Every structure is written in C-alpha cells, then in structure tokens.
Amino acid sequence: MLGLRTRPDEPFDESDMDHFHQLCSRTARKDDYHLCCRVEHNVPVFSGERLRQALALPYGREQAMNELYQCLLSGPGVFVVTGLFDDSAIVDRANKALEGLTRHGEVGNRARENEFASRATESNSFQNHASSDPGNFVDYYSNELIALAAEAWLGLGYQISGQHCHNVNPAGKAHHPHWDDHLGFQSEATACKVPMMTQITSQFLTLQLAVAHSDMPLGSGPTRLLPFSHLYPHGYLAYPHKMFVQYFTDHHITPALSKGDGLFFNPALFHAAREIVSVCKGISVNWLQISACWTRTMQRVDRAAVLRAVWEDILRFKRTATGVRLDALVTALGDSIPSPTRLDLDPPLAEGACFLSQRDIVQRGVLEEWSRERLLEVLAAWKHRYKG
C-alpha cells in the first residue's frame, strides 16, 4: 500500500533521492514503440505522417493508441509528434488570430506580475480563437492526431481548453520545475492531506500539449522536462524541495521543436520553461490542456458561445471532411459528460445507461445540418431540463 505523507514538514532524505534517481535513470528504447521514428534524449519522436498512415490500417488506430498510452504511463511520460499539423498554413493563420488577441489587450494582467511576464500570455486561446477566426478554429481543432493522443490517455469525451499561448519576449526567466493539475498549484500542506492514490490518479485526468507555432530552438525557452519523473509517487509534495529542484537542474532534457510539432506529456512530469535568450517573432507556442470529460479544466470555456461562433464553418467543414477529423472536431467542441437529471422524469437512453450530453446534441446537429438558431434553441432547452 502506498502511504500518505501526513506532515508538510516531513523531510525528504537520501533514500527518497535514491528512489527518485533510480526511476529517472531509466532509458526509453525505440523497440518499445514500433511506430516511433527515433528516440532523442529519452523522448520518443513520432512522425505525424506515419501516425496518419497507421490510422488508415486495420487495427492501426488501436496500435497507435496503445503505444502512446504506454509511453505516458510507464515510459518516459513524454513524446513528440513531428508534423502534428500536416498543413503549415493552418498554424500560420492561427498565429494571426492569436497575435491579434495579444495585441488588443486580451493578455491577462496577472501575467505581467508573475513568471509569465516576459512570455505574453493569452489565457483563453481556445474560446477566443473561435471568435477571432472561426474557419481556422475548425481546421485547427479537427486535428485527428490530437484526438488520437487525447483518447489514448483520457478515453472518449475529453475536453480541450487553451491554457495559454506565448508570445516570447526577451530576457524571460526560467520557470521553477513543477507538476501540473490538479494538485500542482496547492501548498504542500494541502497536498499532503490528499490520499496518495488520489494524488497518483490525478495524472490520468489531464494531458498537456504544447503546439509549436514557430521554430523553437533552445534559446527561445522551450520546456525543460525530466523523463520518467512522473513515476515518483510523491511528486506533488517533492517538487518544491531544493534537492529535487537541483536534480531537475542537473538532469533535465529540452526537446527543440519545429513549427507545427506537438509536445505531449503527462502532467505529473517534472517540467519548467527554460530561460529565454533569443526572441521568437509572433506566437511561439500554444499550450493546450486536455482533460477527461468528468473533470474541471483550469480555464472555463463557454462552449455554447464557441458553437455559436463557428457553427456555419462546422457545417461547411462537414461536407468535405473525413469521418475521423469530423469526430475530432465534434469532441473538441461539445462537453461529453452526460448531464444529471431526475430518473423518474428522464429514464436512461434505451441503448445504454447514459443521458444526453452536449456532444450528443452537437453530433446530431452536425449530421442533420441544423441551423445555428435551432442548435442554440435545443442546447438552451437541454440545459434548462438537465440543470447543466
């Protein structure tokens, strides 16, 4: 049984560091990931083109999902997909939309006061992207490889939110190494009150994705990572401690990314942005947080507002898109968790034990090509009935 560290002042000692070192000294092997092109600094690198080819093969999707899942679970906890976007024009157009948001004051004021001060941050890129350029939003979030990785780790019905996008300014300081949601922003005193198994389970509810919107050499401040560190069960308590910070400083790796690449990693991986010594013109990276459908994301997304903004573009996309990309888009747009209701008034659906979700309504609306007005009317009635 994994125990609970019951006091925030309970010291970590050399035996803890020995265990941590044993975990982080593991080596990722290319032979463990047959679809992988190479392993660089313990990070498996997958070709977007090869993954797309696998999706077209019998059981290819299952094989790809299994490899990505194992990489995040028991492997190094991180992988790169080169050519995550097969059309660089999608990223270029997204840059214009996101740059416009930062220029017109959408950057959160708090960003100027904290560690993101020299990495101008637009803190709700998902929803604001939809209103700024609906057509490009549809092209961007219909990406079948984002859907592949998200479903592999989180299952059906994940939720995407834009954590932030960075417009890198000079002299940005390196960030402190940390773990992310859901306990990554709590004090050690708070985190130690959470049962250890719950702390470990948290990592299975979120997937971090950084999409490179420009070439990111080391000087531009790309993310530093410590492969295999997510395997350490006490990470939410350990990451602020000096001995772990020093270990991270001495052993981290930094994948350099090209425009259109995607960096996926387990949120329980020790990670931090590198110091900026050069400047990327425009948006450098779009940070996305992908969450299991029954969790809360850091950013609140008004999905009805997103649907209102992009609906006509969705219907145009539907007439030419493949089923895989259309499914990816619908999942990105709609909340997939079934809404609670009164069983005496609304018995479960005949084909299963679940009730309607927002995604179910969106999917039907797309297939039947509802008007925007009808979609919003049905969603409003659904929200009122299900108390969503």
Side-chain angles (χ1 to χ4, degrees), residues 16-209:
D16 294 302
M17 285 308 302
D18 288 343
H19 182 204
F20 188 68
H21 176 70
Q22 290 175 8
L23 294 172
C24 296
S25 296
R26 299 184 180 188
T27 301
R29 303 184 309 156
K30 183 180 180 301
D31 290 346
D32 293 332
Y33 311 102
H34 299 294
L35 294 174
C36 170
C37 295
R38 59 188 182 278
V39 174
E40 294 182 355
H41 306 296
N42 253 355
V43 177
V45 179
F46 295 85
S47 160
E49 180 180 4
R50 187 172 181 183
L51 288 176
R52 289 185 179 91
Q53 291 172 351
L55 292 179
L57 299 174
Y59 305 107
R61 181 179 182 83
E62 289 77 5
Q63 179 186 354
M65 288 177 64
N66 182 63
E67 290 193 15
L68 300 183
Y69 177 79
Q70 292 300 329
C71 181
L72 294 168
L73 174 69
S74 56
V78 54
F79 60 86
V80 166
V81 177
T82 61
L84 179 68
F85 286 89
D86 57 356
D87 183 356
S88 62
I90 295 175
V91 176
D92 291 335
R93 185 170 162 184
N95 274 339
K96 293 181 181 179
L98 297 172
E99 286 169 8
L101 293 171
T102 59
R103 282 199 304 269
H104 290 89
E106 294 292 337
V107 178
N109 290 329
R110 289 190 301 274
R112 299 185 180 95
E113 306 297 332
N114 62 22
E115 63 182 1
F116 296 104
S118 54
R119 306 165 193 263
T121 302
E122 201 289 303
S123 61
N124 195 346
S125 63
F126 183 86
Q127 185 170 334
N128 290 331
H129 187 176
S131 60
S132 177
D133 189 339
N136 179 247
F137 176 94
V138 166
D139 290 337
Y140 196 98
Y141 287 102
S142 60
N143 187 296
E144 66 270 49
L145 299 187
I146 294 178
L148 177 75
E151 187 176 331
W153 186 241
L154 304 168
L156 294 171
Y158 52 84
Q159 300 175 89
I160 299 179
S161 62
Q163 197 166 13
H164 45 259
C165 61
H166 284 163
N167 187 348
V168 176
N169 297 320
K173 295 181 180 180
H175 292 183
H176 194 283
H178 58 280
W179 282 22
D180 277 341
D181 265 5
H182 293 83
L183 296 171
F185 302 97
Q186 306 295 327
S187 68
E188 187 178 354
T190 298
C192 75
K193 296 176 182 177
V194 177
M196 184 55 57
M197 190 53 67
T198 303
Q199 294 185 36
I200 294 172
T201 301
S202 177
Q203 67 186 272
F204 297 99
L205 301 177
T206 305
L207 177 62
Q208 300 293 94
L209 166 58

Side-chain angles (χ1 to χ4, degrees), residues 90-365:
I90 295 175
V91 176
D92 291 335
R93 185 170 162 184
N95 274 339
K96 293 181 181 179
L98 297 172
E99 286 169 8
L101 293 171
T102 59
R103 282 199 304 269
H104 290 89
E106 294 292 337
V107 178
N109 290 329
R110 289 190 301 274
R112 299 185 180 95
E113 306 297 332
N114 62 22
E115 63 182 1
F116 296 104
S118 54
R119 306 165 193 263
T121 302
E122 201 289 303
S123 61
N124 195 346
S125 63
F126 183 86
Q127 185 170 334
N128 290 331
H129 187 176
S131 60
S132 177
D133 189 339
N136 179 247
F137 176 94
V138 166
D139 290 337
Y140 196 98
Y141 287 102
S142 60
N143 187 296
E144 66 270 49
L145 299 187
I146 294 178
L148 177 75
E151 187 176 331
W153 186 241
L154 304 168
L156 294 171
Y158 52 84
Q159 300 175 89
I160 299 179
S161 62
Q163 197 166 13
H164 45 259
C165 61
H166 284 163
N167 187 348
V168 176
N169 297 320
K173 295 181 180 180
H175 292 183
H176 194 283
H178 58 280
W179 282 22
D180 277 341
D181 265 5
H182 293 83
L183 296 171
F185 302 97
Q186 306 295 327
S187 68
E188 187 178 354
T190 298
C192 75
K193 296 176 182 177
V194 177
M196 184 55 57
M197 190 53 67
T198 303
Q199 294 185 36
I200 294 172
T201 301
S202 177
Q203 67 186 272
F204 297 99
L205 301 177
T206 305
L207 177 62
Q208 300 293 94
L209 166 58
V211 181
H213 276 226
S214 61
D215 291 343
M216 296 195 67
L218 297 185
S220 65
T223 296
R224 299 173 293 162
L225 301 153
L226 187 58
F228 295 101
S229 57
H230 64 299
L231 300 176
Y232 186 63
H234 299 290
Y236 281 119
L237 307 179
Y239 75 76
H241 288 263
K242 290 183 178 179
M243 66 174 69
F244 290 94
V245 173
Q246 187 60 52
Y247 188 94
F248 177 88
T249 301
D250 294 340
H251 297 89
H252 72 267
I253 57 92
T254 307
L257 303 174
S258 298
K259 183 173 71 173
D261 291 352
L263 174 70
F264 296 82
F265 61 93
N266 184 317
L269 209 65
F270 279 70
H271 65 281
R274 177 183 286 272
E275 180 181 6
I276 300 172
V277 295
S278 62
V279 180
C280 288
K281 294 182 179 180
I283 300 297
S284 62
V285 62
N286 188 20
W287 280 99
L288 302 178
Q289 184 183 76
I290 311 177
S291 304
C293 65
W294 45 80
T295 64
R296 290 187 177 183
T297 59
M298 286 181 62
Q299 280 73 29
R300 179 65 62 86
V301 175
D302 184 344
R303 297 189 183 273
V306 172
L307 287 162
R308 184 186 306 113
V310 305
W311 188 249
E312 298 300 328
D313 293 275
I314 294 171
L315 296 184
R316 281 194 289 270
F317 180 79
K318 178 251 184 183
R319 292 159 193 157
T320 59
T322 63
V324 173
R325 294 195 65 193
L326 187 61
D327 285 344
L329 179 62
V330 169
T331 301
L333 287 167
D335 189 343
S336 297
I337 187 168
S339 291
T341 185
R342 286 180 55 181
L343 291 175
D344 56 336
L345 296 179
D346 292 295
L349 301 177
E351 62 270 23
C354 291
F355 308 101
L356 281 176
S357 70
Q358 188 185 58
R359 183 189 184 280
D360 295 327
I361 295 173
V362 173
Q363 186 174 47
R364 181 180 173 188

